[in-house]
Amino acid sequence: MMEIFFERKDVFQLKDMEKIAPKEKGITAMSVKEVLQSLVDDGMVDCERIGTSNYYWAFPSKALHARKRKLEALESQLSEGNQKHANLQKSIEKAKIGRHETEERTMLTKELSSLRDQREQLKAEVEKYRECDPQVVEEIRQANILAKEAANRWTDNIFAIKSWAKRKFGFEENKIDKNFGIPEDFDYID
């Protein structure tokens, strides 16, 4: 379909394209509208609504300029990438200076790895005794107090609903307990 635009270098309406495309390029008449819309969506064909009609056009120079812009963008990305690569190579060379394998360096590297292993062991040991940490114990106590208050609040709510149901409907307390699965020893937590 692009060949039609490039060969004729003219502006077309949809009905013109539906006549030309099947005859010259063998595109089925049913798919001309979809193909044309796809080309418009991809920015390969321009479309403008004038009055009640849509006009479509595409010129070879636009495609050429689009390719040139894309090529320029890719070339600038390539040059930036080459510059970054060169900078990284320079920084690698700088980092290598003074890092020759010496006896002292080997000894310090071994000492560093042993200290890291020791640190990991100590962290594991501290984690093992974490539950004895006074701060953790205090957090657990505070959480227990909050949980106890919440449990007593819900117990109070249940008693209030039981009292309301007894007044409103005249139910006996043991029937309410049985129907709602409330145990006989249900009471506040001390």
Side-chain angles (χ1 to χ4, degrees), residues 21-155:
K23 290 179 187 174
E24 292 186 12
K25 301 298 176 186
I27 301 170
T28 60
M30 301 294 280
S31 65
V32 170
K33 183 176 183 178
E34 294 171 11
V35 171
L36 193 57
Q37 187 59 46
S38 172
L39 292 172
V40 169
D41 292 342
D42 292 343
M44 297 172 70
V45 173
D46 292 314
C47 175
E48 190 69 41
R49 184 172 192 83
I50 301 173
T52 59
S53 303
N54 286 332
Y55 291 92
Y56 301 91
W57 69 92
F59 299 116
S61 61
K62 179 183 178 191
L64 178 66
H65 289 300
R67 284 191 203 108
K68 280 184 180 178
R69 281 192 304 274
K70 180 74 170 173
L71 181 63
E72 288 170 0
L74 291 173
E75 285 174 347
S76 70
Q77 286 179 354
L78 178 64
S79 66
E80 287 175 16
N82 288 338
Q83 184 65 33
K84 284 182 183 178
H85 179 70
N87 289 339
L88 288 173
Q89 287 296 336
K90 286 178 185 176
S91 64
I92 288 172
E93 292 301 320
K94 282 183 183 178
K96 282 183 179 179
I97 295 173
R99 289 193 179 194
H100 304 292
E101 286 298 320
T102 61
E103 215 175 286
E104 181 186 1
R105 181 175 169 78
T106 307
M107 188 178 68
L108 289 173
T109 305
K110 285 180 183 177
E111 184 180 345
L112 177 64
S113 70
S114 69
L115 288 173
R116 284 182 177 160
D117 291 341
Q118 185 180 0
R119 183 174 129 216
E120 291 303 317
Q121 289 173 353
L122 290 173
K123 275 185 176 180
E125 194 172 331
V126 165
E127 191 63 34
K128 207 172 17 174
Y129 298 114
R130 189 169 192 274
E131 65 263 3
C132 297
D133 184 9
Q135 186 177 2
V136 172
V137 170
E138 185 59 31
E139 288 174 5
I140 292 171
R141 282 189 183 134
Q142 293 300 322
N144 285 343
I145 290 170
L146 287 174
K148 186 175 169 183
E149 289 173 355
N152 284 334
R153 187 172 40 252
W154 281 104
T155 303

